[in-house]
């Protein structure tokens, strides 16, 4: 069950990254057109106004909120899961989900074949980590009782 929660964390993190990037770039382009219309480009008031506009943008803070929900799930899952398995699963699946979401949103990929190969290799690595973790957790350790061996 922990593995499924960790994959969900990767999905939260990875799927929201392209949306946040898109929201930030849209608010940046709006900010650039407002500055071109005669708004003050410097000063504390302009900086605070830009931050308020950024926070008011639903396309920025909604993906950020979902991303932070993934972080909360990550910290909750870390309490009960194997740390050496948790970090690679979350980070690798976040990269995979980010690549897939970027492709769905139509973001340009410089080398799509290499990107697809990277996704396949990352997923294979995560599958190997998960398989080896399940295999080693099922092994029983045989301890030898040296005191009752009969040898002095």
């Amino acid at each position: 069950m922990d593995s499924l929660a960790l994959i969900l964390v990767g999905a939260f993190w990875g799927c929201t990254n392209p949306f946040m990037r898109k929201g930030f770039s849209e608010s940046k382009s709006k900010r650039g057109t407002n500055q071109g219309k005669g708004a003050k480009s410097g000063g504390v008031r302009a900086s605070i106004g830009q931050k308020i506009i950024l926070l008011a943008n639903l396309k920025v803070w909604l993906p950020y909120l979902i991303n932070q929900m993934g972080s909360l799930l990550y910290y909750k899952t870390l309490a009960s899961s194997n740390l050496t398995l948790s970090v690679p699963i979350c980070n690798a699946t976040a990269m995979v989900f980010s690549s897939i979401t970027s492709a769905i949103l139509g973001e340009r990929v410089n080398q799509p074949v290499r990107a697809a190969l990277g996704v396949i290799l990352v997923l294979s690595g995560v599958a190997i980590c998960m398989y080896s973790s399940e295999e080693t957790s099922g092994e029983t350790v045989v301890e030898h009782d040296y005191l009752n061996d009969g040898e002095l």
Side-chain angles (χ1 to χ4, degrees), residues 80-95:
S80 63
S81 66
N82 183 1
L83 188 62
T84 59
L85 190 61
S86 303
V87 175
I89 289 175
C90 288
N91 290 328
T93 54
M95 191 272 304

Side-chain angles (χ1 to χ4, degrees), residues 21-32:
R21 186 171 42 246
K22 189 174 182 181
F24 279 122
S25 67
E26 286 178 4
S27 68
K28 197 176 195 181
S29 66
K30 286 180 184 177
R31 191 173 41 202

Side-chain angles (χ1 to χ4, degrees), residues 21-142:
R21 186 171 42 246
K22 189 174 182 181
F24 279 122
S25 67
E26 286 178 4
S27 68
K28 197 176 195 181
S29 66
K30 286 180 184 177
R31 191 173 41 202
T33 57
N34 287 343
Q35 287 178 355
K37 293 180 180 177
K40 289 185 178 180
S41 60
V44 176
R45 288 182 66 190
S47 176
I48 292 172
Q50 290 171 353
K51 302 295 185 240
I52 291 173
I53 290 170
L54 187 64
L55 290 175
N57 188 354
L58 182 67
K59 292 180 180 179
V60 173
W61 67 265
L62 185 60
Y64 181 76
L65 183 66
I66 294 170
N67 188 294
Q68 294 307 303
M69 288 172 44
S71 295
L72 289 174
L73 180 61
Y74 178 68
Y75 289 122
K76 183 188 178 311
T77 308
L78 280 181
S80 63
S81 66
N82 183 1
L83 188 62
T84 59
L85 190 61
S86 303
V87 175
I89 289 175
C90 288
N91 290 328
T93 54
M95 191 272 304
V96 169
F97 280 109
S98 183
S99 298
I100 292 170
T101 305
S102 294
I104 290 171
L105 290 176
E107 290 184 6
R108 185 173 172 267
V109 178
N110 291 337
Q111 297 176 342
V113 174
R114 285 181 121 181
L117 181 62
V119 166
I120 290 168
L121 289 173
V122 166
L123 288 176
S124 300
V126 168
I128 289 170
C129 285
M130 291 172 72
Y131 177 73
S132 67
S133 174
E134 289 177 11
E135 192 174 273
T136 57
S137 67
E139 293 179 2
T140 57
V141 177
V142 177

